[in-house]
Amino acid sequence: QVQLVESGGGWVQTGGSLRLSCAASGGTLRTYTMGWFRQAPGKEREFVAAIRWIGGTTDYADSVKGRFTISRDNAKNTVYLQMNSLKPEDTAVYDCAAKGSGDIYSESAYVIWGQGTQVTVSS
């Protein structure tokens, strides 16, 4: 069974950057479409970005488009989320997940989840 572990979260000022990593163990991520989601206090979890296992094409939420970049290194069994020009509204717990079947934008389509990493952006 694949397990996911996120890292790279932390505190940063507005306009700063962070790179989140999602490392897999117990199996390969090579054949999974991978996604990042986030949940801010008092809000529902929302889709952030995804990268498909076929072709490596990507999708982003409108709120992060142009600022965040999702990528994957299959040799390292790791997925990344590069976050630039961070805003206070990006503050949330960020989760990576491996997708099963279903809508790429829906958390219900993802079958394996990491434990999450906190990102805090101060104004």
Side-chain angles (χ1 to χ4, degrees):
Q1 176 71 11
V2 174
Q3 293 183 315
L4 304 175
V5 177
E6 299 98 333
S7 61
W11 177 90
V12 65
Q13 290 186 323
T14 296
S17 298
L18 285 172
R19 188 176 81 156
L20 305 183
S21 298
C22 173
S25 61
T28 181
L29 293 181
R30 188 181 303 273
T31 58
Y32 283 101
T33 289
M34 297 297 297
W36 285 95
F37 288 77
R38 67 185 182 186
Q39 186 168 21
K43 295 187 177 181
E44 294 186 352
R45 183 182 284 169
E46 64 175 359
F47 170 83
V48 175
I51 184 165
R52 294 172 179 79
W53 75 277
I54 296 179
T57 54
T58 57
D59 278 295
Y60 297 93
D62 287 344
S63 59
V64 306
K65 204 170 291 184
R67 299 188 298 123
F68 290 12
T69 303
I70 187 172
S71 62
R72 64 193 304 159
D73 185 333
N74 288 333
K76 294 183 177 179
N77 224 15
T78 301
V79 177
Y80 303 98
L81 186 68
Q82 177 67 43
M83 306 186 296
N84 298 328
S85 302
L86 282 161
K87 305 175 182 180
E89 52 263 45
D90 295 318
T91 295
V93 174
Y94 284 71
D95 295 289
C96 72
K99 182 181 171 296
S101 59
D103 183 354
I104 197 170
Y105 304 104
S106 174
E107 64 176 293
S108 64
Y110 292 78
V111 295
I112 305 171
W113 291 82
Q115 85 289 352
T117 185
Q118 176 71 46
V119 171
T120 303
V121 185
S122 67
S123 57

